[in-house]
Amino acid sequence: MGFLPVNKKEKKEKLEEVKMFKQTLIFYEAPHKLLNTLQDIQKIVGDRKIVLAREITKIHEEYIRGLISEVIKQLEEPKGEFVIIVEGNKYNSNTPQQEHLNTLTFEQQYNYSETQKSAKKEIKKKIAKDRKTNKNEIYQHFII
């Protein structure tokens, strides 16, 4: 993947685009952006296993392994060049969880998504995407 976009909206869109990839994701990141990037990755793709590699091929080469949440707790003042290696998605779009969500009513799916700390607008978009329907239909359902 390389460097993620600097623009927050574009960065989020890129992560949304790759979150279902089964392949391992590899990103480069500067130390002053590392913590925010890890938090964005965790929020969008989930708390997956990662390897954070610092200063590859240099004398201070270092690797931190674990779930994103665990690695974030270990970071104090990141220095050096970082490579973030993120585990690929183990599930395809027809996972049992996804099939279960599609059997819920709109309200139940909305309430479930709220517990995942998603924004209301994003929840409605996701419901529309998951159910392969027009997002305006979902918006209208919640207005009534």
Side-chain angles (χ1 to χ4, degrees):
M1 299 278 104
F3 286 97
L4 286 167
V6 176
N7 178 291
K8 288 182 182 185
K9 182 181 176 191
E10 291 174 8
K11 183 180 196 179
K12 182 180 176 188
E13 288 172 356
K14 186 61 164 178
L15 289 171
E16 286 287 345
E17 178 186 324
V18 301
K19 77 178 181 180
M20 296 306 286
F21 285 11
K22 291 182 180 183
Q23 300 89 344
T24 301
L25 306 172
I26 302 173
F27 304 105
Y28 306 119
E29 195 55 271
H32 63 281
K33 296 179 185 177
L34 182 64
L35 188 57
N36 288 335
T37 297
L38 289 176
Q39 290 168 342
D40 289 343
I41 293 171
Q42 180 183 14
K43 186 169 86 174
I44 295 170
V45 305
D47 199 16
R48 297 186 191 176
K49 293 178 186 176
I50 67 167
V51 174
L52 191 60
R54 183 177 78 88
E55 296 291 318
I56 295 178
T57 73
K58 297 183 181 166
I59 195 165
H60 299 291
E61 186 172 320
E62 176 185 13
Y63 299 92
I64 303 172
R65 294 171 176 82
L67 294 173
I68 296 172
S69 57
E70 296 168 350
V71 171
I72 289 173
K73 290 177 186 174
Q74 294 179 41
L75 292 177
E76 291 178 17
E77 291 184 35
K79 294 179 181 173
E81 299 168 348
F82 286 90
V83 176
I84 305 167
I85 305 167
V86 183
E87 173 183 42
N89 188 353
K90 293 182 181 177
Y91 309 101
N92 63 25
S93 59
N94 295 324
T95 63
Q97 178 185 6
Q98 183 61 48
E99 290 172 8
H100 171 70
L101 287 177
N102 289 339
T103 63
L104 301 176
T105 65
F106 289 146
E107 289 82 5
Q108 291 170 328
Q109 189 173 359
Y110 183 87
N111 291 337
Y112 170 79
S113 296
E114 266 192 326
T115 65
Q116 305 301 308
K117 299 188 189 306
S118 299
K120 292 178 181 182
K121 184 177 180 182
E122 295 302 315
I123 292 171
K124 292 171 187 170
K125 282 183 185 177
K126 182 167 178 10
I127 292 172
K129 183 178 178 184
D130 291 346
R131 295 178 182 244
K132 295 178 176 68
T133 186
N134 186 324
K135 69 180 176 185
N136 289 331
E137 180 182 329
I138 305 299
Y139 282 99
Q140 289 300 317
H141 180 79
F142 284 101
I143 290 174
I144 298 173

